[in-house]
Amino acid sequence: MTKLSIVVGFVFALVATSWAVPLDRNEISKLKLAYKPLANQGGEDPDPVIQARRNFVKQMMKDAWDDYVRWAWGDNELKPVSQTGQTGGIFGPSKIGATIVDSLDTLYIMELMQEYEMARGYVANELDFEVNATVSVFETNIRFVGGFLAAYAITQDTIYRDRAVEITNKLLPAFNSTTGIPFGSVNVLTGETGTNANAVLAEFGTLHLEFMYLSEITGNPIYAEKVQAIRKFLKEIEKPNGLYPNHLDVNQGRWTDDHVSIGALGDSYYEYLLKAAIQLNDQEARTMYDEAMDAFVNNDLVRVSRQNHLLYIAESRAGFADPVVGHLACFAGGMFALGAHVDPNNANADRDAEIGRNFTNTCHESYIRTNTHIGPEIFRFTDNLEAEAGSDGERGYILRPEVIESYFVMYRITGDSKYRDWAWDAAQAIERYSKAGPGRGYSGLRNTNSLSPVQDDVQQTFFLAETLKYLYLIFSTNDLISLDEWVMNTECHPLPVKATNPMY
Ligand code: DMJ
C-alpha cells in the first residue's frame, strides 16, 4: 500500500465514520486540508523492464516539453520541425499557453517538478485570458477547465480553481441559446457567439464532469445548472431508433442530420454519460448510457469483419451502416470494458466486457497492420480491407491517444500484460517515426504506411496531456491515479470520484 493510499484511506475512514451525520462545508474543507496532495507517491512497478519503459516515457515527455519551452513558450502548440510556435484553430488567434495548461498534471504525476513549477508560474503570473479570440467551448472546457481542475484536485493549489472559474465564466455566454444548449464557440473577450446554431453532440455533451465538479468546489450552482439543463434536454428529446444524431440546432431544438457515430462528433458524449455515473453515482446517466449502447447493438452497428471476425462499431448514415472506424472511436474499447467493470450486475455487463476486449483488439490490429505500427486516422471493413485505411488521405496520425487509452483501461481492469506490450510497441513506433529530431519534440505523420513518413509539424497538446500520460500510467502500478478514486475527463485529466475521493 502506498503512502497515498494510506492517507486517502485514513481520511476516507474519517469521512465514513461520520457519514450518518451530514458534514457542513467547513468540516469538509478541514478534511480536504488533511488530504496529502499527490506528490512523490511512487507508482513504480517492481519489474525492472517496466521501470525502464516508464523512464523512457518520462524522457519522451521531457523532450516534448523542453522543445515547446525553447521554441514556443506561451503559444498554444509547438511546430517541432519548424522550431516555432503555432496559434490559430480551436483557440482562435490567442496565445494562451494551451500546451502548458494541458501538461500541468502530466508533469506533476511524472514528478518532473522543475518543469511543473515553471508551468505553474505561467498560470499564476503570465496567462492572460483577456484576448480578443473566438474559442471552441468544448476544447476550452476539456483542455483548460479540465486541466486546471485536475491540477487543483491533485495539488490543492487554489490558483487552479480560480483560473478554472475565470475561463469557465468566459464560456457562459455560449449558453444563451433558446434551448440552453451552448453554441460551439464564443469570443472570450466580447461574449459573442456568432450565428452558427448547428452544434455537435460530442461538444455540447462533453461538459458535465468539469461543470459539476466546479460547482462543488466553488459552491456556485450555476455551472451544474447549465449541464443539468443539457442533460434534461437530451433525456427528453426523441432519438430515432434510440440513436443520437451528431448535430442539433440549439435554437430550434431539433436534430439536423442522420449521421450517428461512436467516433468523431459523437464519441465523448457517450464517454461522459458513463463517467458521470462513475463520478457521482448518477443513475440517470447510467441508464442513458446503457440505452445508448443498446441502440448501437440493436441497430446492428456492432459487427464483425468477414475475414477474421474482428469486432468493430460502424457509423450510421441515413439509417444504413457505414463500415468505417476512426482512430477517435478506439477509446470505446476501454469505455465498454470500464462500463462493465464498474457495474458487474448490469444486465449487459458480459456483453459489454466482450465488446470492450474485442474492439480494443481490433484497434490494435489497425496499428500492427501498418508498416510503422502506428494506426491510421480512418480504417475500413470491406471485401478487400480489414482494419486498414482506404486511401493515403486516411493514413495520417496526429499523435492521438485513443488506442493507447483503451490499452491502459484494459490493463487496469484485467492485469493482462499483453496490453503493456502493445503500448510499448506503439511508444517505440512513435519515438522512431514521430520524433522531430534528437532531443526534440514530436510531430504527427502524413502516412503511417511510409517508413520515412512526412511529418505534419504539429505537436498536439493532447500528446502531452493524454498519449504520454496513459503510457506512463500503464507502466506504473495501479495505485497511481487509481481508477477507484479518479475518473479521467476526455483529455485524460483526472477528476475525483465523489464516493471514494475526499478531493471531491
Ligand atoms: C482529445 O482532445 C480528446 O480526447 C477528445 O475527446 C477527442 N480528441 C482529442 C484526441 O484525439
Side-chain angles (χ1 to χ4, degrees), residues 26 85 98 110-111 144 173 187 202 208 232 237 240 265 293 301 327 346 360 362 412 422 461 471:
N26 289 336
M110 291 186 183
E111 297 174 43
F144 283 85
N187 185 299
H208 205 93
K232 184 167 183 298
I237 191 173
L265 307 173
M293 296 308 105
L301 297 175
H327 193 289
N346 188 294
T360 303
T362 299
R412 282 285 174 100
W422 291 359
T461 78
L471 281 171

Side-chain angles (χ1 to χ4, degrees), residues 290-333:
D290 286 333
E291 288 169 355
M293 296 308 105
D294 279 349
F296 277 102
V297 173
N298 295 339
N299 286 283
D300 199 22
L301 297 175
V302 179
R303 310 181 143 216
V304 292
S305 64
R306 288 182 197 150
Q307 296 89 341
N308 290 294
H309 301 283
L310 296 183
L311 183 143
Y312 66 96
I313 306 170
E315 299 192 0
S316 173
R317 291 176 193 274
F320 292 97
D322 182 0
V324 62
V325 176
H327 193 289
L328 284 165
C330 282
F331 86 99

Side-chain angles (χ1 to χ4, degrees), residues 138-139 142-143 267-268 328 400-402 462 466 490-491:
F138 159 77
E139 298 288 2
I142 67 172
R143 304 189 200 202
D267 50 9
S268 45
L328 284 165
R400 290 194 190 280
E402 291 78 15
F462 49 70
E466 297 193 72
T490 194
E491 190 80 357

